[in-house]
Every structure is written in structure tokens, then in C-alpha cells.
Amino acid sequence: SNLYMGYACLWYYDKHKHVQGLEAVLDMAMTQHCYRIQEALLGLAANFPIPLLGPLMRAVTFPRGREYHVPRDKQRAEVARLLTTPTEVRALLTQNVFVSKSETDRVNQISRAVALACQADGYLAACRRAKRKPTAEEQRVIDEAEALRELIIQVDAFETLGGSNHRAKWMDATWTVGPLDKAAASAH
């Protein structure tokens, strides 16, 4: 499956190589797939049922030992930045995601929050560098981003389940672990 996924990544990159930053995503994906393929082959060699053939397989396939490693933190950080900020990569990967026009929809809220939070972060960084307070417009964006963030992280609380109180009698346990009654105790 990792061979197929690696090929799929290469095909996708070939079709969209004009997108700035996509090469970092491809590099991380291929690093991960090559590592998984290597580990699968090494696992096969380690568990091969014919004695001495497993170590021979390992020596032939990986004569210098493990060549591939999991993606580095620097790679992961770069891909995370590309996916969590308004970039061409994010636009490409989210172009077919349905986003409702309803402002109460979570996907809509998150979609709007990404751009707004990045803009607010830029304003806050500029204010810190200049050691000044935000302008009225900057403060409006910062407050709007904070309000949207607060709205997104709220957890839904349901007092009722299926139209009835979730602590209703039907939710009580129907069995208990307690002392045996006298008839059952005398049978033993």
C-alpha cells in the first residue's frame, strides 16, 4: 500500500507542481512512505521462516543498514505551516471541501478563522515589534479572531438525549453486584 501511496503522491505532485510549497509536502510524504516500505521489508526479513534466508534478504536489500528515517521535525513544521496558513498548498488541498455559507457551521467558522487568525497574529507581532498598541482597525480584527476562536472551541453540551432527560430511569443499571440471596447461597 505504501508503494501505491508513494506513486499517488508523485502523480499528484506532477499534476500540481506549479503550486508553490507543494514540494515540501511531497518530500515529507515520500520520506514517510520510504521509511514505512523499508520497515516492512526489514520486518519481512526478520520474520522469514527459512533460517539464514532472512538475514541474507536483509543484506541484499539494505547492505548499508537503514537508509530511510521518519520525517524530521523541520519537515513537519514546514508542512504544518503550509497547511495552517493561507497558502497555495492549503487552497489546493481544500478546493473541493464543501464549506457551508452558514456562519454557524463549524467548517465555515474554521475556514474563516484561518485567514483571520493569521492576519491578527501579524498585527500583534507588528505591535510588539513597534512597542505600540493596535490601531482601531487592527484591534477590530484581533477581537473578531478571538471571538471566532472562542466560538470554535466551545464544546456542545446536551442536557437531553433523544428528547428525554439523559439521567432518566431507563438509564439506571438493570443488574447489581451484591450479596447472593439465601436460595442461591444454599445451592452452593
Side-chain angles (χ1 to χ4, degrees), residues 24-156:
V25 177
L26 174 70
D27 184 41
M28 190 185 102
M30 291 307 295
T31 301
Q32 184 69 45
H33 289 306
C34 288
Y35 172 76
R36 288 179 180 166
I37 291 166
Q38 167 189 268
E39 293 304 304
L41 289 172
L42 290 173
L44 177 69
N47 292 305
F48 203 75
I50 301 172
L52 299 178
L53 204 50
L56 180 63
M57 288 171 49
R58 180 183 172 135
V60 170
T61 54
F62 296 101
R64 297 182 306 191
R66 285 182 160 82
E67 295 281 332
Y68 301 102
H69 303 283
V70 294
R72 305 277 185 229
D73 288 344
K74 188 174 181 179
Q75 283 178 299
R76 291 179 190 273
E78 176 62 15
V79 170
R81 184 193 65 75
L82 289 167
L83 297 177
T84 58
T85 56
T87 61
E88 289 182 39
V89 170
R90 180 178 171 78
L92 174 67
L93 296 177
T94 60
Q95 71 184 359
N96 292 318
V97 174
F98 173 75
V99 179
S100 171
K101 291 184 180 8
S102 170
E103 291 191 1
T104 60
D105 180 63
R106 290 279 194 225
V107 177
N108 178 300
Q109 292 169 347
I110 292 169
S111 180
R112 287 184 295 127
V114 168
L116 203 56
C118 288
Q119 188 179 5
D121 284 347
Y123 289 155
L124 287 169
C127 290
R128 278 192 295 275
R129 277 193 306 274
K131 296 184 175 145
R132 64 172 176 85
K133 292 190 181 274
T135 65
E137 175 60 21
E138 291 171 338
Q139 189 62 50
R140 184 193 64 74
V141 171
I142 293 166
D143 291 343
E144 189 178 340
E146 179 62 24
L148 196 53
R149 182 193 68 82
E150 195 61 36
L151 180 66
I152 290 169
I153 65 171
Q154 293 303 310
V155 177
D156 293 333

Side-chain angles (χ1 to χ4, degrees), residues 12-20 22-23:
Y12 192 81
Y13 175 76
D14 187 55
K15 299 295 179 201
H16 300 95
K17 59 181 139 195
H18 62 278
V19 175
Q20 185 180 356
L22 192 58
E23 63 280 347

